């Protein structure tokens, strides 16, 4: 009508009309080209984009190839390994757990899932049932970032910023809606981070791309870098808290990083909004012929310190609702003994499981599904087993705390690795015989360590000792692996105050604490897969790591696994 | 339906400025409606759009500005209706007094009242000056009083200029608004191009470099020293210029697309060779307003007689100097107060008054000195020196006004000359002030583009006409380059604090 009016006035001639038309078309095309260039390619598990990769991988699955899906918060996303389930049971599952996923977010994902899959079982985490819908904004934002445009996505975008959005409409939150409709609005800043992959066309369709099927693996311990002895002190209190819904909070707060003491923490009533969405989820499952199962993975944390903590009163509340809806509820904390070890199986003070715990939970679901679903061969799952096992090897290395076991893992490590060692300060004098023998098995002449306080640096490259240098003075050594320049340095106790360094291309990889510092360089991926320090001065010869750097190393390795054999 | 509309308005249309996504959606709708309705009705489209734009800043603000509009409109009608000069004058001063009281209430209220309880109407300094000028023109008989309140309201609230000017003259703007304009393809396209250029200045340059100025001159300003202050001060020059002139480009560009020409407010001020010339090129409409309504009216017979007496006592030189310096002092005091009520605004006004006065009063001595030193004042090098000197003057003024506190200014000034750290220009310190290397260098490239454009304009090149002469592929490449440089390199979107226009606060 506007154009007609202009033409009627004869103020825009045909030539200009054609030009304007093509200019708009050309601008629109360029807009979408730039948009596709700058919006992250979900195949790469950058920290922020991990969830979007999970969604991308899900869409890549063959139609109707998944027997079960898991929905819920990070308690699901970081605890259940579909690959482990497939290895143990032959049943294909997918983990759609995302950080702080609200119940309406689970409903959104369920709609998304049923577009391409027809799972027989839908496992839903009950974590968010007790939270007010406003608490789920972060989780909704994650989901918006990680999914392609759809009617459900627009509904979620509308809900975002409006506390669950039961009464929200398209005018409620324009900023989110703009980001959803035109992702360039949000991602235009990515021009500073453009990589080769940004220019690739549709790499997401390549079945060569490694997938963990939505599982986000973690490989560090509760409390790190705390010592074992500290954990012993608070373990009993943690376990007491598990059994008391209203634990009075008399705890040793020295080790507590955050305190979220709000009324919401003690809430053991399922919110009305959650009930609405839960009933919708049940309806959708019934309509599609899927069995809805409510689940709760182990969480061992004080209720007054962690809003997602799990208590017996919450458990009985869910049991009532499950009974009303006629669905099963699997409370893996209170009703099943998975042999969870607080000290070993959690990554962050009992909030989330690490790989040790994941394996136990995944095994539970493997046996649960094995009895109910028919195992089948799936090529996509099968071809990922080898890479998954390699990722597990790295995770197990990063989780190992015992020195002798650690050396054993190194000896049998499936990849070509270079072990880089440097002593900081002192501590070697108290090596046990077993530890000396362990060191000796990789070629390091450990008997001389008895002389204190010497400096020491060593390199074992693919099983061959390249350097075994010790002195009562400061020592340094440079070494090349491919295009990487490695520089080791050690100053024993009283040698300028005790220092060490393991640098690769000028980047420090030593923990630089007292004891034997080790960095493991993987030659294939060209990444450092573990940095650890064994303090032999302590009685228990504590292994120390930096948790977040450890996780980054696992992510880097996973990124390598994804890009390996991928033609871009 | 009504509830939905209210929700839409509350969530989607809050505090519209020229950098809201919503603004551009509504602008497109306004363009469509404007050119769709009959020419005679087009003024109503602009009126509704302008009222809608203003109302996004609050209903109380809209009521406030309507009271001002009725005061000015009624005052002008009354002034033109009465016959005696005394009555005209009384009505003129009454109307002006009401308008100035409203302005002072806001300016003073900012200091003493709680920000939440204070009504701060959008563009009050701009529309007050505009209508005071209109009242004066009606009083002088230069203009006829507007009889239609809606026409007057449109002139006052016309959305491209209400944000931060240019300060319009009724005689030039009102007829254009009322008559309506047929669609002009060339004007429409040129307007869009200028709007994109304004967005480039604002989002790519001003908001990018404002990260550095707010980091260095923010609450932790004592963490920095010496040359870091110099660098941040330089950045503040680009921030101030690109923010203000960028907004003007958007305002003039949007208006041009409607077929309405607003007064130019900038003419490449950094090519000025004197402080006086700078102010004839920077915020031109404010300068001409002060000239027409303060400086010239100051030349009353009584003042001329007073200066005449001084001529007899001290000679012609002093008398001529007084005729310029005294009115100029009033002008700069008011200019300072127009910008704000802090002491630093008065110091800032005094600073410019002093510079311009010295330039004018001692012009013969400066001429003699250049002649004695054998300097050819028309040589390009000397002209460049003069331009450089003007930029230094502006840096000085930024130091006074840009830091928002005279004590802070003195601390920074002292530190700039006492802390010697020139290595910060080379040791990557500049990348730690809020912008990483790619973003800083993008900003620098954008400034080079701005400089090149300004240079071409200064040499008489009409950029948009020149681009229009290029072959189509080149032309389109330029247009698309402009659009996508804003979309990609612009400082906007979630996670960015795209700041409002600086001159909106005045």
């Amino acid at each position: 009508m506007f154009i007609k009016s202009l033409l009627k006035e004869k103020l825009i001639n045909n030539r200009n009309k054609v030009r304007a038309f093509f200019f708009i078309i050309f601008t629109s095309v360029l807009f979408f080209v730039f948009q596709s260039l700058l919006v992250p390619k979900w195949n790469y598990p950058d920290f922020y984009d991990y969830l979007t990769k999970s969604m991308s991988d899900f869409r890549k699955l063959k139609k109707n190839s998944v027997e079960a899906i898991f929905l819920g918060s990070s308690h699901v996303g970081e605890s259940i390994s579909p690959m482990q389930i497939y290895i143990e049971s032959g049943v294909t599952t997918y983990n759609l757990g995302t950080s702080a996923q609200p119940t309406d977010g689970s409903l959104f994902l369920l709609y998304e899932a049923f577009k391409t899959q027809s799972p027989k079982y839908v496992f839903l985490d009950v974590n968010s049932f007790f939270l007010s819908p406003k608490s789920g904004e972060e989780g909704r934002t994650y989901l918006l970032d990680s999914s392609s445009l759809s009617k459900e996505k627009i509904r979620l975008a509308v809900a975002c910023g409006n506390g669950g959005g039961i009464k929200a409409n398209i005018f409620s939150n324009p900023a989110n809606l703009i980001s959803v409709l035109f992702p360039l609005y949000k991602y235009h800043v990515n021009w500073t981070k453009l990589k080769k992959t940004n220019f690739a066309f549709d790499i997401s369709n390549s079945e060569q791309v490694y997938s963990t099927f939505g599982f986000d693996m973690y490989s560090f311990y509760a409390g790190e870098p705390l010592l074992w002895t500290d954990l012993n002190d608070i373990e009993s209190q943690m376990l007491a808290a598990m059994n008391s819904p209203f634990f009075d909070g008399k705890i040793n707060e020295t080790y507590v990083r955050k305190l979220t003491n709000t009324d919401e923490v003690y809430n053991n009533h399922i919110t009305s909004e959650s009930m609405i969405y839960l009933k919708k989820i049940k309806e959708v499952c019934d309509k599609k012929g899927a069995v809805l199962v409510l689940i709760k993975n182990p969480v061992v944390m004080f209720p007054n310190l962690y809003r997602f903590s799990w208590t017996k009163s919450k458990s009985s509340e869910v049991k009532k609702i499950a009974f009303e809806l006629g669905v099963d509820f699997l409370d893996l904390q209170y009703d099943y003994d998975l042999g969870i070890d607080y000290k070993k199986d959690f990554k962050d003070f009992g909030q989330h499981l690490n790989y040790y715990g994941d394996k136990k939970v995944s095994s539970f679901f493997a046996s649960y599904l094995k009895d109910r679903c028919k195992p089948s061969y799936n090529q996509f799952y099968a071809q990922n087993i080898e890479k998954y096992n390699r990722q597990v090897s790295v995770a197990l290395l990063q989780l190992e705390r015992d020195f002798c076991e650690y050396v054993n893992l190194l000896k049998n490590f499936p990849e070509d690795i270079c072990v880089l060692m440097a002593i900081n300060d002192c501590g070697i004098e108290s090596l046990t015989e077993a530890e000396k023998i362990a060191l000796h098995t990789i070629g390091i002449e450990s008997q001389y360590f008895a002389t204190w306080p010497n400096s020491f640096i060593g390199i074992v490259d693919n099983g061959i000792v390249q350097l075994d240098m010790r002195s009562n003075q400061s020592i340094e050594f440079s070494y090349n692996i491919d295009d990487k320049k490695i520089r080791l340095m050690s100053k024993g106790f009283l040698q300028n105050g005790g220092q060490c360094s393991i640098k690769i291309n000028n980047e420090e990889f030593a923990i630089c604490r007292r004891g034997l510092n080790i960095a493991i360089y993987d030659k294939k991926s060209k990444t450092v897969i573990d940095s650890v320090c064994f303090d032999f001065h302590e009685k228990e010869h504590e292994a120390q790591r930096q948790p977040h750097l450890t996780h980054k190393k696992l992510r880097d390795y996973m990124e390598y696994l994804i890009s390996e054999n991928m033609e871009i | 339906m009504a509830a939905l509309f209210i929700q839409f308005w509350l969530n989607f249309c809050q505090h519209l400025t020229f950098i809201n996504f919503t603004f551009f959606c509504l602008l497109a709708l306004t363009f469509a409606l404007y050119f769709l309705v009959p020419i005679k009705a087009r003024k109503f489209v602009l009126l509704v759009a302008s009222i809608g734009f203003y109302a996004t800043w609050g209903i109380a603000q809209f009521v406030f500005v309507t009271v001002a509009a009725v005061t000015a409109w009624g005052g002008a009608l009354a002034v033109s209706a009465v016959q005696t000069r005394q009555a005209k004058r009384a009505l003129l001063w009454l109307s002006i007094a009401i308008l100035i009281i409203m302005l002072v209430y806001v300016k003073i209220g900012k200091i003493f009242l709680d920000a939440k309880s204070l009504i701060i109407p959008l563009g009050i300094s701009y529309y007050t000056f505009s209508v005071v000028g209109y009242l004066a023109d009606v009083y002088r008989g230069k203009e006829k009083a507007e009889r239609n309140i809606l026409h007057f309201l449109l002139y006052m609230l016309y959305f491209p200029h209400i944000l931060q000017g240019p300060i319009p003259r009724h005689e030039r703007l009102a007829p254009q608004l009322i008559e309506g304009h047929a669609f002009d393809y060339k004007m429409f396209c040129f307007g869009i191009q200028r709007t994109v250029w304004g967005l480039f200045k604002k989002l790519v340059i001003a908001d990018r470099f404002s990260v550095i100025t707010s980091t260095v001159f923010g609450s932790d300003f004592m963490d920095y020293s010496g040359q870091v202050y110099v660098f941040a001060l330089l950045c503040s020059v680009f921030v101030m210029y690109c923010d203000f002139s960028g907004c003007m480009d958007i305002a003039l560009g949007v208006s041009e697309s409607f077929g309405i020409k607003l007064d130019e407010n900038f003419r490449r001020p950094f090519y000025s060779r004197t402080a006086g010339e700078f102010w004839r090129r920077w915020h031109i409409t404010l300068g001409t307003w002060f000239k027409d309504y303060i400086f010239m009216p100051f030349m009353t017979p009584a003042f001329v007689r007073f200066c005449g007496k001084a001529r007899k006592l001290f000679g012609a030189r002093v008398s001529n100097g007084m005729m310029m310096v005294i009115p100029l002092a009033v002008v700069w005091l008011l200019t300072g107060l127009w910008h704000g009520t802090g002491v630093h605004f008065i110091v800032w006004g005094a600073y410019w008054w002093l510079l311009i006065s010295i330039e004018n009063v001692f012009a013969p001595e400066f001429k003699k000195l250049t002649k004695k030193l054998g300097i050819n004042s028309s040589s390009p090098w000397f002209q460049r020196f003069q331009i450089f000197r003007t930029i230094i003057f502006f840096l000085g003024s930024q130091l006074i006004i840009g830091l928002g506190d005279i004590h802070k200014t003195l601390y920074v000034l002292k530190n700039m000359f006492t802390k010697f750290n020139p290595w910060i220009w080379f040791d990557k310190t500049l990348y730690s002030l809020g912008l990483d290397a790619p973003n800083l260098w993008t900003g620098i490239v954008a400034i080079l583009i701005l400089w090149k454009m300004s240079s071409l304009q200064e040499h008489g090149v009409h950029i948009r006409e020149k681009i229009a002469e290029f072959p189509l592929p080149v032309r389109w490449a330029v247009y698309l380059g402009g659009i996508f440089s804003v979309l990609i390199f612009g400082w906007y979107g979630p996670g960015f604090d795209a700041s409002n226009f600086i001159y909106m606060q005045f």
Side-chain angles (χ1 to χ4, degrees):
Chain A
M1 211 171 164
F2 173 48
I3 301 291
K4 264 188 188 173
S5 161
L6 300 182
L7 290 171
K8 201 175 163 187
E9 288 189 18
K10 294 185 180 176
L11 293 167
I12 176 165
N13 59 33
N14 279 344
R15 208 171 87 168
N16 284 342
K17 189 183 82 173
V18 170
R19 278 183 185 175
F21 174 77
F22 278 107
F23 186 80
I24 291 167
I25 294 289
F26 201 53
T27 308
S28 307
V29 169
L30 266 184
F31 181 88
F32 286 105
V33 166
F34 281 119
Q35 186 163 275
S36 66
L37 197 68
L38 292 167
V39 170
K41 292 282 185 288
W42 308 132
N43 287 352
Y44 278 77
D46 296 327
F47 178 72
Y48 187 72
D49 298 329
Y50 178 76
L51 302 164
T52 47
K53 170 177 163 48
S54 165
M55 292 301 297
S56 162
D57 286 353
F58 185 75
R59 284 186 217 103
K60 224 161 52 185
L61 296 172
K62 274 189 186 164
K63 277 199 167 184
N64 304 324
S65 63
V66 167
E67 295 285 313
I69 58 168
F70 295 92
L71 298 167
S73 66
S74 53
H75 292 178
V76 164
E78 297 170 13
S79 303
I80 299 170
S81 167
M83 206 67 248
Q84 188 71 35
I85 294 172
Y86 181 76
I87 291 167
E88 290 186 24
S89 67
V91 177
T92 51
T93 60
Y94 203 93
N95 190 337
L96 287 169
T98 56
S99 183
Q101 190 179 105
T103 318
D104 59 323
S106 301
L107 176 63
F108 161 72
L109 286 173
L110 189 69
Y111 280 127
E112 288 285 300
F114 276 122
K115 281 181 186 170
T116 54
Q117 301 294 331
S118 50
K120 291 182 183 68
Y121 281 85
V122 172
F123 294 97
L124 177 64
D125 179 24
V126 299
N127 196 42
S128 61
F129 288 6
F130 301 90
L131 299 173
S132 78
K134 282 182 183 171
S135 307
E137 294 301 9
E138 187 186 70
R140 287 187 193 95
T141 310
Y142 283 145
L143 292 175
L144 289 174
D145 278 348
S146 62
S147 52
S148 58
L149 190 60
S150 66
K151 198 174 86 183
E152 284 76 28
K153 180 168 179 173
I154 290 175
R155 191 200 62 76
L156 195 73
V158 164
C160 198
N162 291 282
I166 286 173
K167 290 177 184 169
N169 58 50
I170 57 161
F171 301 134
S172 304
N173 199 327
N176 269 339
L177 205 57
I178 295 165
S179 294
V180 167
L181 297 175
F182 307 107
L184 189 74
Y185 179 69
K186 181 172 184 176
Y187 290 111
H188 67 96
V189 286
N190 276 5
W191 66 269
T192 56
K193 308 176 223 171
L194 278 176
K195 291 189 281 191
K196 198 178 161 187
T197 48
N198 289 79
F199 295 90
F201 287 102
D202 200 18
I203 53 175
S204 61
N205 285 335
S206 165
E207 288 207 349
Q208 296 299 316
V209 174
Y210 172 54
S211 175
T212 53
F213 303 96
F215 169 53
D216 194 7
M217 188 188 290
Y218 280 80
S219 55
F220 52 89
Y221 275 101
E224 274 194 312
L226 296 179
L227 304 179
W228 281 99
T229 43
D230 298 328
L231 290 178
N232 283 332
D233 285 345
I234 57 174
E235 182 189 12
S236 57
Q237 296 175 57
M238 285 284 185
L239 294 173
M242 274 175 65
N243 293 305
S244 166
F246 300 109
F247 184 70
D248 65 2
K250 286 178 186 171
I251 52 163
N252 184 349
E253 289 184 8
T254 312
Y255 310 113
V256 175
R257 284 174 292 175
K258 61 179 180 178
L259 189 70
T260 52
N261 196 2
T262 64
D263 291 343
E264 195 177 55
V265 164
Y266 295 101
N267 172 32
N268 61 350
H269 296 293
I270 296 174
T271 61
S272 56
E273 289 87 353
S274 295
M275 273 310 296
I276 290 169
Y277 288 118
L278 175 59
K279 283 176 182 169
K280 278 189 183 174
I281 288 171
K282 176 75 168 67
E283 269 174 38
V284 175
C285 288
D286 288 347
K287 202 174 161 187
K288 298 283 182 181
V291 177
L292 177 67
V293 180
L294 304 182
I295 56 168
K296 185 65 234 157
N297 287 336
V299 177
V300 189
M301 189 48 158
F302 303 106
N304 61 335
L305 298 179
Y306 185 46
R307 61 179 178 156
F308 297 120
S309 67
W310 190 238
T311 60
K312 279 195 168 171
S313 61
K314 282 184 178 178
S315 180
S316 39
E317 189 74 7
V318 174
K319 276 172 189 157
K320 271 188 237 165
I321 297 298
F323 181 74
E324 280 172 27
L325 291 176
V327 298
D328 284 343
F329 172 45
L330 307 175
D331 186 339
L332 303 191
Q333 181 159 300
Y334 291 118
D335 298 342
Y336 296 86
D337 183 10
L338 306 185
I340 295 288
D341 179 340
Y342 167 69
K343 286 197 290 186
K344 281 187 77 179
D345 297 344
F346 285 94
K347 77 176 169 81
D348 47 8
F349 289 96
Q351 296 173 28
H352 300 86
L353 298 165
N354 61 25
Y355 174 69
Y356 285 150
D358 300 339
K359 202 176 172 195
K360 291 173 183 173
V361 171
S362 303
S363 293
F364 170 84
F365 282 108
S367 59
Y368 183 90
L369 288 167
K370 201 173 182 178
D371 300 338
R372 291 164 175 82
C373 300
K374 194 180 165 189
S376 62
Y377 174 79
N378 182 302
Q379 195 189 349
F380 189 32
Y381 279 71
Q383 74 187 18
N384 272 299
I385 291 174
E386 186 261 337
K387 284 189 177 179
Y388 179 76
N389 285 335
R390 282 159 70 189
Q391 191 185 352
V392 167
S393 302
V394 174
L396 288 173
L397 193 69
Q398 293 178 341
L399 281 163
E400 190 51 64
R401 302 182 77 97
D402 180 80
F403 182 70
C404 294
E405 288 300 321
Y406 190 78
V407 174
N408 256 335
L409 285 173
L410 289 180
K411 277 194 299 184
N412 302 314
F413 200 75
E415 307 288 345
D416 288 352
I417 52 170
C418 183
V419 183
L420 308 164
M421 293 169 278
I423 275 184
N424 180 8
D425 201 330
C426 64
I428 292 294
E429 76 283 2
S430 60
L431 272 175
T432 63
E433 276 311 307
E435 285 162 346
K436 283 180 183 174
I437 291 166
L439 261 181
H440 186 72
T441 58
I442 58 168
I444 300 296
E445 294 304 324
S446 51
Q447 63 271 30
Y448 299 115
F449 281 136
T451 50
W452 175 82
N454 281 356
S455 306
F456 164 74
I457 47 178
I459 298 174
V460 181
D461 189 350
N462 207 16
I464 299 163
V465 179
Q466 298 291 348
L467 179 73
D468 182 356
M469 185 188 283
R470 63 206 71 208
S471 166
N472 56 4
Q473 298 296 317
S474 167
I475 46 175
E476 286 185 31
F477 188 76
S478 293
Y479 185 70
N480 285 345
I481 304 175
D482 302 327
D483 55 341
K484 304 276 185 186
K485 285 183 181 173
I486 292 169
R487 188 178 159 276
L488 302 182
M489 182 271 285
S490 170
K491 293 176 181 177
F493 186 59
L494 296 181
Q495 299 296 327
N496 297 324
Q499 288 177 32
C500 80
S501 173
I502 302 173
K503 283 187 176 174
I504 301 176
N505 280 3
N506 229 18
E507 190 180 347
E508 185 62 72
F509 285 98
I511 300 283
C512 297
R513 292 199 189 127
R514 181 179 64 192
L516 180 61
N517 286 263
I518 302 175
I520 311 297
Y521 178 77
D522 179 72
K523 294 170 89 170
K524 213 170 180 181
S525 64
K526 296 187 176 179
T527 60
V528 172
I529 54 175
D530 190 27
S531 291
V532 60
C533 173
F534 289 95
D535 185 359
F536 295 109
H537 192 74
E538 288 292 325
K539 278 182 184 173
E540 294 193 32
H541 295 187
E542 185 80 39
Q544 295 179 49
R545 292 181 178 85
Q546 291 163 317
H548 295 292
L549 290 179
T550 302
H551 187 60
K552 186 184 176 301
K553 289 180 176 80
L554 191 64
R555 281 277 166 100
D556 288 346
Y557 188 71
M558 191 180 164
E559 188 166 340
Y560 161 73
L561 291 177
I562 291 166
S563 61
E564 193 183 40
N565 306 327
M566 191 165 73
E567 287 181 14
I568 297 164
Chain B
M1 194 64 192
L4 203 67
F5 178 77
I6 291 167
Q7 194 176 14
F8 166 75
W9 199 255
L10 290 175
N11 291 315
F12 215 47
C13 307
Q14 272 191 333
H15 298 167
L16 284 189
T17 70
F18 296 157
I19 46 173
N20 295 126
F21 182 80
T22 319
F23 170 76
F24 288 101
C25 295
L26 292 175
L27 182 64
L29 185 72
T30 311
F31 277 140
L33 285 173
Y34 186 80
F35 292 115
L36 194 66
V37 301
I39 285 192
K40 282 187 177 177
R42 290 181 181 176
K43 58 189 173 190
F44 295 112
V45 174
L46 289 183
L47 182 63
V48 170
S50 299
I51 290 173
F53 183 88
Y54 206 93
T56 64
W57 287 82
I59 299 301
Q61 280 78 354
F62 177 67
V63 171
F64 194 102
V65 78
T66 307
V67 170
V70 170
T71 305
W73 171 74
L77 273 181
V79 166
S80 63
V82 296
Q83 299 300 319
T84 63
R85 193 166 176 78
Q86 284 84 355
K88 278 180 188 287
R89 182 175 288 183
L91 285 167
L92 170 74
W93 283 112
L94 178 68
S95 308
I96 291 176
I98 294 170
L99 292 165
I100 296 296
I101 286 167
M102 291 170 95
L103 177 64
V104 170
Y105 156 76
V106 173
K107 295 271 182 191
I108 304 287
K110 280 183 185 174
I111 306 170
F112 297 109
L113 297 176
D114 177 22
K116 283 180 185 170
S117 62
L118 183 69
I119 301 168
I120 305 176
L122 183 66
I124 185 168
S125 302
Y126 300 94
Y127 73 66
T128 303
F129 271 37
S130 170
V131 295
V132 165
Y134 162 72
L135 280 165
D137 286 346
V138 170
Y139 170 75
R140 289 172 184 169
K142 274 178 74 182
E143 266 203 83
K144 283 186 178 174
E146 175 60 63
R147 301 207 161 269
N148 188 326
I149 179 71
L150 294 180
H151 288 177
F152 190 77
L153 203 60
L154 173 59
Y155 152 72
M156 221 171 125
L157 296 185
Y158 180 51
F159 71 91
H161 75 58
I162 194 67
L163 212 56
Q164 53 179 40
I167 298 167
R169 295 296 174 94
H170 185 266
E171 59 189 354
R172 287 198 289 273
L173 180 61
Q176 293 189 73
L177 293 171
I178 295 161
E179 69 191 9
H181 295 267
F183 183 81
D184 183 327
Y185 182 75
K186 189 182 169 191
M187 270 188 102
F188 185 82
C189 294
F190 273 20
I192 300 290
Q193 287 164 27
R194 188 156 186 182
T195 303
V196 172
W197 178 238
L199 287 169
F200 178 86
K201 282 182 179 175
K202 167 67 179 163
L203 297 177
V204 180
I205 303 176
D207 284 352
R208 176 172 264 102
F209 282 104
S210 72
V211 174
I212 291 176
T213 53
S214 53
T215 303
V216 176
F217 295 139
S219 53
D220 298 327
F221 72 99
M222 284 191 175
D223 292 350
Y224 304 96
S225 62
Q227 295 293 299
V228 176
Y229 287 139
V230 175
F231 176 65
L233 196 62
L234 279 173
C235 291
S236 78
V237 172
F238 298 119
V239 172
M240 184 61 96
Y241 174 64
C242 292
D243 188 284
F244 195 10
S245 72
C247 179
M248 288 304 101
D249 285 323
I250 298 169
L252 271 75
V254 166
S255 200
E256 195 174 347
S257 292
F258 285 112
I260 297 160
K261 291 219 164 190
L262 293 176
D263 293 338
E264 289 289 343
N265 219 12
F266 281 89
R267 201 160 43 80
R268 299 165 298 286
F270 294 111
Y271 281 93
S272 307
R273 288 159 60 189
T274 64
E277 188 190 351
F278 179 85
W279 279 97
R280 289 189 295 276
R281 287 166 170 258
W282 176 286
H283 209 169
I284 297 167
T285 54
L286 182 71
T288 51
W289 191 92
F290 272 115
K291 186 183 139 207
D292 291 348
Y293 300 109
I294 303 292
F295 189 91
M296 298 310 287
F298 209 90
M299 299 294 174
T300 55
F303 180 68
V304 173
R305 275 198 302 277
F306 170 72
C307 292
K309 283 180 189 169
R311 180 191 290 263
K312 287 174 190 166
L313 290 171
F314 306 109
R317 181 86 189 274
V318 172
S319 166
N320 290 342
M322 280 170 66
M323 291 218 5
M324 198 209 61
V325 168
I326 294 172
L328 209 57
V330 177
V331 164
W332 278 105
L333 176 68
L334 292 175
T335 308
L337 290 172
W338 181 87
H339 281 84
T341 43
V343 177
H344 57 292
F345 288 108
I346 296 169
V347 173
W348 175 84
Y351 170 83
W352 282 110
W353 168 72
L354 200 65
L355 286 174
I356 295 169
S357 299
I358 290 169
E359 247 173 35
N360 283 285
V361 172
F362 297 105
E365 280 75 13
F366 288 135
K367 206 171 178 182
K368 273 182 202 167
L369 184 68
T370 47
K371 203 173 176 186
K372 204 170 182 181
L373 293 170
I375 297 168
N376 176 7
S377 59
S378 57
S379 74
W381 285 108
F382 187 68
Q383 287 179 7
R384 275 173 204 148
F385 160 74
Q386 288 177 309
I387 288 170
F388 176 73
R389 186 184 60 188
T390 310
I391 292 170
I392 297 293
F393 290 162
F394 186 77
L395 281 171
S397 94
Q398 271 300 99
L399 202 56
I400 299 167
I401 207 173
L403 274 64
D405 177 355
I406 203 74
H407 300 292
K408 204 168 170 181
T409 298
L410 292 173
Y411 174 86
V412 169
L413 187 65
K414 186 184 169 191
N415 198 289
M416 271 164 63
F417 292 103
T418 51
K419 295 283 177 188
F420 184 71
N421 55 351
W423 48 85
I424 65 107
W425 297 94
F426 312 102
D427 69 354
K428 297 186 181 175
T429 301
L430 303 185
Y431 301 148
S432 65
L433 304 174
L435 289 185
D436 58 9
N439 271 303
L440 182 61
W441 282 104
T442 303
I444 291 168
V445 169
I447 287 169
L448 290 175
I449 293 169
L450 173 68
W451 171 73
K452 186 65 192 167
M453 291 294 162
S454 301
S455 169
L456 287 170
Q457 284 176 322
E458 191 61 17
H459 288 91
V461 178
H462 297 280
I463 305 278
R464 288 178 290 174
E465 270 91 355
K466 191 79 186 165
I467 294 171
E469 290 168 7
F470 290 159
L472 187 123
V474 180
R475 202 161 70 226
W476 281 22
V478 173
Y479 299 153
L480 292 169
I483 292 168
F484 285 101
S485 60
V486 171
L487 283 176
I488 294 169
F489 303 120
W491 212 252
Y492 69 94
F496 286 89
D497 186 17
S499 50
N500 268 333
F501 293 99
I502 295 169
Y503 263 69
M504 267 174 64
Q505 63 185 296
F506 302 132

